[in-house]
Amino acid sequence: MKELPIHIRLTQDGDKTLYEQIYEYIRSEIRSGGLLCGEKLPSARYLAEYLQVSRTTVDMAYGQLVAEGYLEAKPKKGYFVATLDGLYTIETKGETDL
C-alpha cells in the first residue's frame, strides 16, 4: 500500500472524542484538497490499527462522512472521496465576512 493519506495525531485529553477527531481531520483534508475526489481511503481495520483505536471508532467517523456526502462506500472495494459538486454547507453566524 502506498503512503497512508491520513496523518492525524489523536488526543485523549481533549474535549472531542476520538471519532470526532478522525471525522474532522478527514473532512478538513477533503475540503482543503489534501484528499482528492476518487481517492481511496485506508480500510477501517487498517486505519484503526494504524491509529491504535478500535475499529468501531473509525467506522463511526467513516459513517458520518458517508452520511454527509464526503465519502462513498463501495462494497468490497472500500471508502472513496466523493465528488463534492452537490455538497453544500450552511454557514453559521460568525463564519461570513458581512
Side-chain angles (χ1 to χ4, degrees):
M1 178 179 250
K2 68 178 188 168
E3 184 179 329
L4 193 66
I6 310 289
H7 303 286
I8 181 174
R9 288 192 178 193
L10 301 175
T11 60
Q12 298 225 12
D13 56 351
D15 60 340
K16 296 192 181 192
T17 63
L18 295 173
Y19 107 85
E20 287 175 313
Q21 292 174 57
I22 295 167
Y23 157 80
E24 288 179 357
Y25 176 84
I26 294 172
R27 185 184 67 179
S28 172
E29 285 296 301
I30 292 170
R31 285 181 165 185
S32 71
L35 291 171
L36 303 175
C37 177
E39 188 168 351
K40 186 177 188 317
L41 270 68
S43 71
R45 180 173 297 173
Y46 183 83
L47 185 58
E49 183 179 317
Y50 177 78
L51 296 175
Q52 297 184 353
V53 298
S54 77
R55 184 170 167 199
T56 302
T57 300
V58 176
D59 284 338
M60 288 173 57
Y62 277 5
Q64 185 66 36
L65 290 160
V66 168
E68 293 181 10
Y70 289 100
L71 296 181
E72 291 178 295
K74 296 182 182 178
K76 299 186 181 185
K77 293 188 179 188
Y79 290 94
F80 296 83
V81 177
T83 304
L84 299 181
D85 293 339
L87 205 63
Y88 65 91
T89 58
I90 298 173
E91 294 181 359
T92 58
K93 212 173 207 179
E95 288 184 336
T96 59
D97 295 323
L98 296 178

